[in-house]
């Protein structure tokens, strides 16, 4: 079976898409296809790879619009998924490209520094006694320690595609949750403060990062855990946190969202007042009617108890 | 065919036309729907960021009521579908968590425990899985109407929770439905992108930019309408379309339809039946219904 590769090339400021043809062998990975092109057809093609075992994270590229670890994914799998004999291979999205499929990690590493990525051990630890933790404590963050820094999670991140200056790449949030959830950490408060400032609440919740992580680490879930921690540390005085809290409180207040009050609760009266033209637009089309009272769920007492009991159970688990 | 309907908050409020049109379309298609009594908000993809266990318990309650009705759950909102399916997956796969949540429900006086007996599905998935529902019902095929299929995020991702069809990354089931209605799905680069609804307040400029980009992309594809299975995406793209245009310097004005409205038009229902007068954008541009 033959296949076509359309590879996005970029050399010294010049961009083009180059076509290659090769024969698909059983079990051929995308990385093997790239290697065959480089060895037999075009030695100028540049890409990165190392372990060929899905461990080092060096070989991620974008294939037909979606990030993949090229040493892991089979060409046949992708041809079947996209019902095509043509694979379009690009460098990862939301990265600066150095050459062809090689991207620049330095700016990304620099953003990791924003979250203060070190653990200052609690005072009870010492050189003599070490920094012990129980298996249960270790289990709280061990999943997030498995990030291989492949960059797949950021490639199709919808927020990063618009502006990375006020937002962290998803893997940085994974790293952050790994640190914040570590029982040996003396000051998760400081890290959480930095994470909020670096854009925690600007996540679109598009789930692309979770969909793309080849290690199943669920970066979007890590972001939600970090948000939860900011409430526990009283770092919730910002529009994103107030909006989430307003929605959460509506469940206990009435059972459902009271749309007419959400903006006021989230942004405050003055900011919400500035949105008057939008409110008028919605009233004109009948989408909003401030005269309508918001109904209260007949089982609201039970619902309130469920929320309260769940909050008590989460506290107990801490 | 009958489902326990989880309408979700916006169908009772800003997107009420999505509910009225759904009822009319389901009646025409002989899909029975009975609203889950006293359901609550699914958490709207925000509550778990305040307290995860509370958000989970609230959805366990929602699902348990449908289980007591002896019905599978139908949703018409991507985010409600994701929140309910995430809750179901976690409760089905983790016995200790299920017991913990059931204790919370019992201690709070809720009469039913979560058992895991009801599936959670979406209106679009039901139409995709049962093409026979439309057989002989398309009274007014939407011939020549070009439509941009906008999936939104939460019906596609993450795949391990929202798996439908052969591949979520190459999902084409909405395009297939558009064809079954007689219309023509257009190639549309923003089809699987995010509308940004959930970050509208926290990242407003970026969200309005992406709103404008999506509508502009549909316009460039010569779509007469965008159709979406999610009322939140619909609200973002329709209500904020003017601001989206300003953010990207576009002149594109494209009507944004709820999926059930497009189906309704093909079934012979009118714009008034489908509540199109409640839309903000493209009032004069929609030539169907």
């Amino acid at each position: 079976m033959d296949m076509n590769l359309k590879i996005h090339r970029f050399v010294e400021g010049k961009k083009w898409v180059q076509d290659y043809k090769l024969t698909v062998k059983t079990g051929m990975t995308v990385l093997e296809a790239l290697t065959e092109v480089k060895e037999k057809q075009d030695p100028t093609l540049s890409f990165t790879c190392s372990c060929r075992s899905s461990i080092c994270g060096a070989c991620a590229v974008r294939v037909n619009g979606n990030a993949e670890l090229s040493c892991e994914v089979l060409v046949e799998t992708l041809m079947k998924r996209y019902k095509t004999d043509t694979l379009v291979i690009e460098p990862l999205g939301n990265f600066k490209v150095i050459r062809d499929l090689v991207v620049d990690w330095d700016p990304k590493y620099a953003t990791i520094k924003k979250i203060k990525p070190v653990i200052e051990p609690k005072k009870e630890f010492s050189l003599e006694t070490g920094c012990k933790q129980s298996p249960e404590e270790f289990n709280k963050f061990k999943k997030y320690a498995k990030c291989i820094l492949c960059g797949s999670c950021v490639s199709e991140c919808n927020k990063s595609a618009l502006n990375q200056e006020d937002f962290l790449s998803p893997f940085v949030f994974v790293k952050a949750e790994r640190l914040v959830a570590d029982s040996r950490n003396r000051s998760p408060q400081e890290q959480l403060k930095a994470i909020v400032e670096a854009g925690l609440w600007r996540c679109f919740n598009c789930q692309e990062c979770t969909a793309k992580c080849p290690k199943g680490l669920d970066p979007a879930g890590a972001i939600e855990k970090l948000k939860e921690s900011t409430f526990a540390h009283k770092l919730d005085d910002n529009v994103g946190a107030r909006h989430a809290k307003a929605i959460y409180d509506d469940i206990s207040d009435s059972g459902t969202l009271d749309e007419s009050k959400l903006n006021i609760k989230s942004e405050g009266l003055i900011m919400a007042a500035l949105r008057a033209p939008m409110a008028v637009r919605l009233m004109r089309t009948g989408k909003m009617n401030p005269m309508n009272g918001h109904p209260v769920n007949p089982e609201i007492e039970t619902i309130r108890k469920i929320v309260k009991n769940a909050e008590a159970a989460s506290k107990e688990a801490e | 065919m009958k489902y326990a309907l989880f309408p979700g908050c916006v169908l009772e409020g800003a997107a009420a036309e999505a509910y009225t049109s759904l009822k009319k379309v389901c009646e025409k298609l002989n899909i029975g729907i009975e609203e889950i009594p006293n359901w609550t908000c699914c958490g709207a993809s925000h509550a778990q960021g305040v307290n995860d266990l509370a958000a989970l318990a609230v959805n366990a309650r929602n699902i348990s009521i449908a289980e007591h009705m002896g019905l599978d759950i139908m949703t018409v909102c991507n985010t409600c579908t994701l929140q309910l399916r995430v809750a179901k997956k976690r409760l089905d796969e983790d016995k200790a968590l299920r017991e913990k949540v059931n204790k919370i429900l019992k201690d709070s006086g809720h009469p039913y425990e979560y058992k895991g007996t009801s599936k959670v599905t979406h209106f679009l998935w039901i139409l995709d899985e049962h093409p026979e529902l439309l057989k002989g019902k398309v009274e007014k095929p939407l011939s020549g109407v070009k439509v941009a299929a906008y999936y939104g995020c939460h019906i596609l991702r993450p795949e391990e929770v929202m798996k439908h069809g052969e591949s979520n990354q190459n999902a084409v089931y909405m395009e297939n439905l558009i064809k079954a209605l007689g219309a023509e799905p257009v190639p549309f680069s923003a089809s699987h992108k995010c509308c940004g609804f959930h970050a509208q307040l926290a990242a407003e400029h970026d969200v309005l930019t992406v709103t404008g980009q999506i509508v502009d992309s549909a316009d460039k594809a010569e779509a007469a309408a965008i159709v979406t299975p999610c009322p939140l995406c619909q609200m973002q793209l329709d209500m904020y379309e003017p601001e989206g245009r300003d953010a990207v310097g576009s002149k594109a004005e494209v009507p944004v339809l709820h999926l059930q409205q497009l189906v309704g038009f093909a079934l012979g229902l009118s714009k008034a039946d489908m509540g199109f007068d409640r839309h903000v954008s493209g009032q004069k541009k929609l030539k169907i219904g």
Side-chain angles (χ1 to χ4, degrees):
Chain A
M1 184 171 45
D2 288 341
M3 70 178 297
N4 304 302
L5 284 183
K6 285 185 175 293
I7 302 183
H8 284 232
R9 304 292 308 270
F10 176 76
V11 180
E12 292 171 3
K14 195 180 157 214
K15 280 184 183 177
W16 74 101
V17 178
Q18 192 153 345
D19 293 307
Y20 302 95
K21 269 188 192 307
L22 65 166
T23 303
V24 180
K25 293 171 194 142
T26 305
M28 180 185 238
T29 62
V30 169
L31 180 58
E32 282 163 1
L34 289 171
T35 306
E36 190 170 315
V37 168
K38 188 172 177 72
E39 287 178 350
K40 296 183 180 166
Q41 299 185 33
D42 186 351
T44 70
L45 178 67
S46 296
F47 52 90
T48 50
C49 65
S50 182
C51 75
R52 293 156 207 264
S53 308
S54 320
I55 297 294
C56 76
C59 69
V61 291
R62 187 189 255 177
V63 188
N64 288 26
N66 292 297
E68 306 282 354
L69 265 192
S70 69
C71 74
E72 185 172 69
V73 67
L74 301 184
V75 164
E76 282 173 294
T77 304
L78 297 179
M79 289 169 75
K80 196 175 158 209
R81 180 194 298 164
Y82 297 109
K83 296 183 173 42
T84 180
D85 59 4
T86 301
L87 296 183
V88 180
I89 304 186
E90 301 169 72
L92 288 175
N94 298 322
F95 274 86
K96 186 182 162 209
V97 180
I98 294 173
R99 180 187 162 116
D100 295 340
L101 305 176
V102 182
V103 295
D104 187 357
W105 270 89
D106 285 350
K108 298 283 190 249
Y109 291 139
T111 63
I112 297 181
K113 289 182 185 160
K114 285 189 185 176
I115 64 161
K116 305 181 181 173
V118 286
I119 288 182
E120 205 178 330
K122 283 179 177 164
K123 284 183 179 160
E124 61 259 38
F125 298 129
S126 67
L127 278 176
E128 291 72 36
T129 59
C131 302
K132 287 179 187 165
Q133 65 185 172
S134 68
E136 290 75 26
E137 287 167 335
F138 175 63
N139 285 340
K140 283 188 179 168
F141 71 84
K142 76 168 182 191
K143 171 175 164 183
Y144 300 114
K146 292 179 183 170
C147 175
I148 59 171
L149 286 178
C150 68
S152 296
C153 60
V154 69
S155 180
E156 280 77 58
C157 168
N158 281 269
K159 170 66 182 94
S160 300
L162 292 153
N163 182 3
Q164 301 194 67
E165 293 301 311
D166 64 354
F167 191 62
L168 297 169
S169 296
F171 65 83
V172 186
F173 288 113
V174 168
K175 174 72 82 183
E177 174 59 12
R178 180 255 168 276
L179 299 170
V180 166
D182 191 326
S183 62
R184 297 166 297 184
N185 190 346
R186 186 198 299 178
S187 54
Q189 175 99 2
E190 289 306 304
Q191 276 147 348
L192 284 166
K193 250 190 222 170
I195 293 157
V196 170
E197 277 169 28
L200 177 66
W201 290 94
R202 295 188 194 102
C203 167
F204 282 13
N205 198 347
C206 71
Q207 300 286 327
E208 279 283 18
C209 52
T210 289
K212 298 296 157 61
C213 175
K215 294 293 166 190
L217 304 188
D218 187 16
I223 289 172
E224 295 306 312
K225 282 181 186 293
L226 287 165
K227 286 177 178 174
E228 226 182 326
S229 296
T230 65
F231 285 100
H233 287 83
K234 305 208 182 310
L235 295 167
D236 50 0
D237 188 20
N238 60 76
V239 66
R242 283 194 297 271
H243 186 59
K245 187 70 167 45
I247 289 170
Y248 180 84
D249 287 345
D250 272 356
I251 297 175
S252 290
D253 288 346
S254 65
T256 51
L257 302 190
D258 186 352
E259 292 165 345
S260 65
K261 296 191 184 120
L262 264 186
N263 274 21
I264 296 173
K265 288 180 185 171
S266 309
E267 297 188 298
L269 205 54
I270 295 169
M271 278 305 288
L274 293 174
R275 296 188 185 274
M278 172 59 86
V280 170
R281 185 188 297 167
L282 300 185
M283 282 190 264
R284 202 184 302 136
T285 51
K287 284 187 170 293
M288 194 172 156
N289 186 348
M291 304 309 283
N292 284 350
H294 187 69
V296 175
N297 192 308
E299 294 182 19
I300 196 66
E301 287 308 324
T302 306
I303 295 157
R304 281 175 191 155
K305 279 184 197 159
I306 289 173
V307 172
K308 286 263 172 260
N309 286 333
E311 285 171 353
S314 347
K315 220 164 211 172
E316 213 172 282
E318 279 171 23
Chain B
M1 179 181 280
K2 189 176 177 184
Y3 290 92
L5 179 72
F6 184 86
C9 299
V10 297
L11 262 68
E12 301 282 3
E17 73 282 356
Y19 204 170
T20 49
S21 53
L22 178 75
K23 284 178 187 164
K24 285 175 184 163
V25 166
C26 283
E27 195 183 331
K28 279 235 170 199
L29 296 178
N30 293 324
I31 303 172
I33 46 173
E34 185 179 342
E35 188 172 311
I36 296 173
N38 302 327
W39 56 273
T40 68
C41 173
C42 67
S45 95
H46 284 287
Q48 78 282 359
V50 181
N51 187 298
D52 179 60
L53 188 60
L56 180 66
V58 160
N59 280 328
R61 174 185 172 276
N62 283 326
I63 299 171
S64 75
I65 303 172
E67 290 176 350
H68 181 70
M69 294 162 81
L71 296 171
D72 288 337
I73 298 172
M74 179 209 277
T75 58
V76 280
C77 169
N78 289 3
T79 295
C80 294
T81 312
L82 176 62
Q83 299 308 117
L84 291 173
R85 284 177 69 93
V86 164
K88 181 172 171 55
K89 189 172 187 333
R90 291 173 67 189
L91 294 165
D92 288 349
E93 291 177 358
D94 186 340
K95 194 176 169 218
L97 184 63
R98 186 165 69 243
E99 284 169 359
K100 188 176 188 176
V101 167
N102 273 332
K103 185 174 183 311
I104 290 168
L105 296 184
K106 193 179 174 194
D107 290 351
S108 309
H110 180 62
Y112 320 123
E113 68 172 3
Y114 174 90
K115 292 178 183 153
T117 52
S118 287
K119 288 180 192 159
V120 180
T121 189
H122 188 288
F123 175 63
L124 171 57
W125 292 354
I126 293 168
L127 295 186
D128 181 51
E129 285 164 359
H130 299 280
E132 73 279 5
L133 287 167
L134 284 170
K135 259 204 180 131
K137 300 275 176 65
V138 180
E139 290 173 22
K140 284 192 181 170
L142 307 172
S143 311
V145 179
K146 292 183 173 182
V147 178
Y150 182 75
Y151 284 80
C153 298
H154 290 171
I155 202 162
L156 296 172
R157 297 180 287 269
E159 187 161 336
E160 61 167 10
V161 184
M162 302 302 286
K163 176 82 177 161
H164 181 80
E166 285 178 44
S167 162
N168 289 24
Q169 288 185 354
N170 194 34
V172 288
Y173 50 83
M174 189 153 51
E175 284 85 342
N176 292 340
L177 175 62
I178 289 167
K179 285 182 202 162
L181 301 174
E184 181 192 334
V186 293
F188 173 45
S189 61
S191 180
H192 290 198
K193 293 289 174 197
C194 178
C195 71
F197 175 87
H198 293 294
Q200 167 63 32
L201 296 180
E204 187 172 13
H205 177 72
D206 291 334
V207 173
L208 294 178
T209 301
V210 81
T211 298
Q213 286 172 349
I214 292 164
V215 174
D216 195 56
S217 161
D219 188 57
K220 287 204 167 79
E222 297 179 356
I226 296 169
V227 66
T228 174
C230 179
L232 309 182
C233 299
Q234 193 279 340
M235 284 162 53
Q236 183 63 39
L237 299 181
D238 175 52
M239 284 164 33
Y240 290 94
E241 200 170 290
E243 285 78 7
R245 268 196 298 274
D246 291 346
V248 297
S250 158
K251 289 184 178 161
E253 185 180 359
V254 184
V256 186
L257 300 176
H258 300 283
L259 176 71
Q260 53 269 38
Q261 290 176 317
L262 188 76
V263 176
F265 293 142
L267 300 180
L269 294 165
S270 68
K271 278 184 190 155
D273 288 328
M274 298 292 95
F276 187 67
D277 57 329
R278 288 172 50 88
H279 287 226
V280 169
S281 302
Q283 279 289 348
K284 289 177 186 160
K285 287 212 154 186
L286 190 70
K287 304 294 182 211
I288 48 177

